Amino acid sequence: MGAYAAAYERSISDPTRFWGLAARDIRWLVPPDRVLDDGAPPFYRWFTGGELNTCDNALDRHVDEGRGDQPALIYDSPVTGTVRTYTYRELTDLVARFAGALRAQGVDVGDRVVIYLPMIPEAVIAMLACARIGAVHSVVFGGFAARELAARIDHARPKAVVSASCGIEGARLVPYKPLLDEALELASHKVERCVIRQRPQLHADLVRPRDVEWDEAVARAEPADCVPVAATDPLYILYTSGTTGRPKGVVRDNGGHAVALRWSMENIYGVGPGDVFWAASDVGWVVGHSYIVYGPLLTGCTTVLYEGKPVGTPDAGAFWRVASQHRVKVLFAAPTAIRAVKKEDPNGALLSSYDLSGLDALFLAGERLDPDTYQWAADRLGRPVIDHWWQTESGWPMAANPRGLEPLPVKPGSPSVPVPGYDVRVLTPDGAPAPPGVDGDIVVRLPLPPGALTTLWQDDERFVESYLTRHPGYYLTGDGGHIDEDGYLWVMGRTDDVVNVAGHRLSTGAMEEVIAAHPAVAECAVIGVRDPLKGQVPRALVVLKSDADADGAVLRDQVVRMVREQIGPVAALKDVAVVRALPKTRSGKILRGAMRDIADGREAPVPATIEDPAVLDELRPVLRPRPAS
Ligand code: COA
Ligand code: AMP
């Protein structure tokens, strides 16, 4: 049996022993009594009785063990012309000071702190500072609009918000503070304190006494030590898009998270202490949480925080420049980013100007990796390109080619095999195991391994209903696909109303809610359609009220603007079609799945419950995949 097969078998047959051994890589303040607490299914807890501090494991511990002078964080920002390195000692001091500042603002163990920051070191510092004092952070991606930020503030009910005067999106300055002020106006929860990082590019107006400047807060603060927390205490809440407009607050614990991420760095990514790891994502997404911040730092790696884009900052050689300049060993990006690079530099001419001898592998995730993009990257880089599959809920890969354990043959289009800990299965709609090669719901048999979500924030019921009810005893991933004869997983796409735009997960339901509020709109549906650059883009189909006197072009502009202003630019809705009717079942349910099939070019049978097949036929030309622009 190979190293992967052996590890996988052990992880499934004896998870307690497997994860108990992995937990030895974490510095516990009180060792756990139990590895897996399975006393109250479908809820499972890892490392009960244990106490630790995640920030201690990410920072102080490495200083104590002699890594104080090693770079912990490299901030590389082509948009401001800055490259700055922080050693483990420096980062520990900065985090301890900011933790003290948060505490002085009234933040205590268990309090929530919303972080709405661009890709600047303060984002990492604020996250770790929360972990240090046992506060629960909830980072909100900067591309979301005020209304989305307000919804998260109302749900998480934070004691404080940490934000900045602006973000920089390529050549565009994005003022964050007016968005925050608007969100605080919209929210019914009253936030007592906002800590604002004033960036030199833009000065924000402060609302005193609520707002305090970062520098001011830190100057007055006493450094705070790490607080012991229970392994099962929440480390963070990260909101992700569900099928409705109401985002889901995924809760991550401290103990399981630390153990799983530490294990994943060596066994999946093949990196260890001292290596340079770069996840070209954003701290607002799960990839940023797990592999810009926690995974690399828990492992004693050097992590790169990149404030820039794959193209345009300044060109399509940006990734190769950063990888070469900082001797990156593993680069992690989204397929969209590689497609953007490929579009601008199809022959990879810019690649040849950089020394990439330190680069071992490119990992890609966040959306399906199409075989063309895989082949382009593999040919140009001449090193392993690894597709891996996971989601906000899992927090770390569920399927991958486990390079650290044992590199397996690559099958382009498949993220390879289930990762140890994840008992991945494919079930038919009636719950039977799907034979090899047959598509069905991709599920994971319970218990989920350490590091995966433990529940939804203050909503155990929604957790059970969303993930654990459809197939009792299994976690529903929301993805469909199959497992082939060799045990490789093929993820074909979401089975629900979630779209993946440029590696960003968005809810079509949320967009529909916004569009439905337009006075001329009778009803609407938003579906994801294939896009050659972004993987998927949203397309809105709008039916007007019979008495609406709306000009199609004006309505389209209004709808696009409403979605941008209420959800955020990241929703990237540009495509709005006014149609006569939407296909429905006889009971009035809109047939989104049937429209998705047509939009994706799938020849699926028309549902038997359809009220009027002519409506769907009429929509075919609107829905069909568009040729590459
Ligand atoms: N703050 C404010 N606005 C943001 C933002 C942020 N953090 N991130 C994105 N936006 C805005 C963009 O400026 C853009 O606005 P525009 O419509 O005015 O141009 C819009 O949201 C859409 O952004 P994006 O999806 O990034 O598209 P793009 O056309 O600007 O760039 C790519 C295309 C391919 C370069 C870009 O999508 C990309 O880098 N993708 C990789 C994504 C990724 O790493 N995902 C992480 C998951 S692993
Ligand atoms: P998010 O929660 O934002 O990370 O989005 C997770 C979703 O992205 C998954 O449920 C999948 O639909 C999709 N996804 C992520 N990685 C992959 C991959 N390697 N292949 C196919 N789909 C992926």
Side-chain angles (χ1 to χ4, degrees):
M1 205 189 274
Y4 159 71
Y8 187 76
E9 201 281 317
R10 281 198 310 272
S11 76
I12 302 300
S13 64
D14 192 355
T16 294
R17 186 171 151 68
F18 187 87
W19 292 112
L21 284 172
R24 291 189 188 164
D25 286 335
I26 293 303
R27 178 152 90 173
W28 296 92
L29 302 169
V30 176
D33 308 324
R34 290 186 74 176
V35 174
L36 171 61
D37 182 349
D38 54 2
F43 294 90
Y44 296 87
R45 295 288 178 261
W46 289 94
F47 307 112
T48 41
E51 289 183 19
L52 76 163
N53 183 284
T54 297
C55 179
D56 174 53
N57 275 279
L59 296 176
D60 306 56
R61 167 194 188 166
H62 302 306
V63 177
D64 296 347
E65 292 174 2
R67 294 191 176 276
D69 297 327
Q70 181 199 305
L73 177 75
I74 300 171
Y75 167 55
D76 187 308
S77 167
V79 294
T80 59
T82 315
V83 175
R84 191 174 160 194
T85 299
Y86 300 79
T87 64
Y88 268 100
R89 186 170 291 108
E90 284 166 338
L91 194 60
T92 307
D93 290 346
L94 289 167
V95 168
R97 286 292 279 280
F98 191 65
L102 282 178
R103 197 178 268 159
Q105 305 303 326
V107 177
D108 214 333
V109 178
D111 287 337
R112 274 80 58 215
V113 175
V114 162
I115 299 175
Y116 186 59
L117 281 170
M119 287 287 285
I120 55 177
E122 285 76 6
V124 180
I125 293 169
M127 289 164 78
L128 291 165
C130 289
R132 194 169 187 88
I133 56 172
V136 180
H137 62 70
S138 186
V139 183
V140 178
F141 177 62
F144 282 120
R147 203 182 77 128
E148 291 288 320
L149 177 57
R152 287 155 175 79
I153 288 173
D154 270 340
H155 198 258
R157 307 182 66 77
K159 193 58 132 334
V161 175
V162 184
S163 189
S165 55
C166 66
I168 305 164
E169 269 296 289
R172 186 163 66 96
L173 213 63
V174 182
Y176 271 41
K177 186 60 179 18
L179 289 171
L180 172 61
D181 288 342
E182 192 189 334
L184 293 173
E185 278 287 309
L186 289 169
S188 36
H189 171 73
K190 286 298 150 231
V191 173
E192 289 160 31
R193 198 58 92 218
C194 296
V195 183
I196 307 296
R197 173 75 176 136
Q198 296 281 17
R199 299 189 75 183
Q201 294 78 13
L202 185 74
H203 188 89
D205 293 334
L206 301 188
V207 179
R208 303 282 189 180
R210 186 197 68 195
D211 300 347
V212 49
E213 283 191 13
W214 177 289
D215 288 346
E216 225 182 291
V218 167
R220 293 199 300 251
E222 282 295 314
D225 280 337
C226 293
V227 169
V229 297
T232 51
D233 279 344
L235 169 67
Y236 69 75
I237 309 166
L238 179 57
Y239 288 91
T240 187
S241 300
T243 51
T244 67
R246 220 158 38 97
K248 292 170 167 166
V250 164
V251 178
R252 197 87 60 211
D253 63 5
N254 275 275
H257 173 256
V259 171
L261 289 191
R262 177 71 186 84
W263 186 90
S264 73
M265 291 298 289
E266 280 184 68
N267 292 285
I268 298 177
Y269 297 100
V271 295
D275 289 335
V276 183
F277 190 89
W278 175 28
S281 177
D282 187 290
V283 287
W285 305 111
V286 70
V287 176
H289 280 62
S290 294
Y291 294 111
I292 295 175
V293 184
Y294 289 111
L297 295 179
L298 286 164
T299 306
C301 294
T302 301
T303 187
V304 179
L305 181 78
Y306 174 66
E307 189 183 28
K309 295 268 178 184
V311 294
T313 57
D315 58 30
F319 273 17
W320 322 131
R321 193 271 300 162
V322 174
S324 131
Q325 186 169 337
H326 306 305
R327 298 287 297 171
V328 169
K329 184 170 176 190
V330 166
L331 165 57
F332 178 163
T336 300
I338 302 302
R339 285 195 294 269
V341 170
K342 175 180 164 212
K343 195 172 165 195
E344 300 238 327
D345 182 21
N347 298 319
L350 292 165
L351 230 156
S352 53
S353 0
Y354 299 102
D355 169 15
L356 290 178
S357 54
L359 187 70
D360 258 21
L362 168 67
F363 277 77
L364 296 169
E367 56 181 313
R368 181 167 176 269
L369 173 59
D370 53 286
D372 280 356
T373 306
Y374 164 78
Q375 209 55 58
W376 184 87
D379 291 348
R380 296 298 170 292
L381 284 169
R383 31 182 72 65
V385 172
I386 304 209
D387 182 10
H388 60 324
W389 167 73
W390 51 297
Q391 48 185 202
T392 308
E393 290 86 343
S394 68
W396 61 289
M398 296 188 282
N401 202 310
R403 252 186 88 64
L405 269 172
E406 178 191 8
L408 300 175
V410 167
K411 294 193 187 190
S414 160
S416 301
V417 293
V419 162
Y422 284 99
D423 190 353
V424 179
R425 312 276 180 101
V426 175
L427 301 181
T428 60
D430 54 7
V438 173
D439 282 344
D441 288 334
I442 307 179
V443 298
V444 183
R445 202 165 73 92
L446 297 178
L448 293 172
L453 85 168
T454 51
T455 188
L456 293 177
W457 180 246
Q458 295 191 330
D459 206 345
D460 286 350
E461 222 170 276
R462 190 174 181 202
F463 170 62
V464 173
E465 181 196 303
S466 309
Y467 302 108
L468 308 178
T469 304
R470 172 87 175 264
H471 297 292
Y474 297 89
Y475 163 81
L476 184 73
T477 65
D479 284 318
H482 60 266
I483 296 177
D484 71 15
E485 299 280 357
D486 300 324
Y488 278 56
L489 181 71
W490 297 79
V491 182
M492 308 317 282
R494 297 286 306 191
T495 54
D496 57 13
D497 298 322
V498 163
V499 281
N500 199 314
V501 182
H504 306 140
R505 177 167 157 186
L506 296 160
S507 158
T508 54
M511 291 185 227
E512 288 176 7
E513 273 178 31
V514 171
I515 300 169
H518 189 290
V521 171
E523 58 181 355
C524 65
V526 177
I527 57 165
V529 294
R530 247 192 265 162
D531 181 80
L533 175 65
K534 296 192 172 185
Q536 276 191 311
V537 287
R539 178 173 297 164
L541 305 166
V542 174
V543 179
L544 297 184
K545 287 183 181 156
S546 54
D547 57 351
D549 181 22
D551 173 299
V554 173
L555 179 113
R556 275 187 205 101
D557 286 350
Q558 287 169 342
V559 163
V560 165
R561 208 173 46 241
M562 282 167 81
V563 169
R564 188 180 173 90
E565 282 169 3
Q566 296 186 43
I567 295 184
V570 70
L573 175 74
K574 304 238 155 70
D575 190 346
V576 181
V578 177
V579 298
R580 187 183 62 83
L582 294 172
K584 290 188 185 162
T585 61
R586 283 187 284 276
S587 58
K589 213 168 150 262
I590 296 176
L591 286 164
R592 293 183 177 78
M595 292 196 282
R596 268 203 310 263
D597 285 338
I598 299 173
D600 286 345
R602 275 194 296 270
E603 280 309 317
V606 174
T609 53
I610 195 163
E611 187 187 28
D612 179 1
V615 174
L616 192 61
D617 287 338
E618 217 175 279
L619 286 184
R620 281 180 199 277
V622 184
L623 292 169
R624 280 213 185 95
R626 309 253 160 111
S629 50

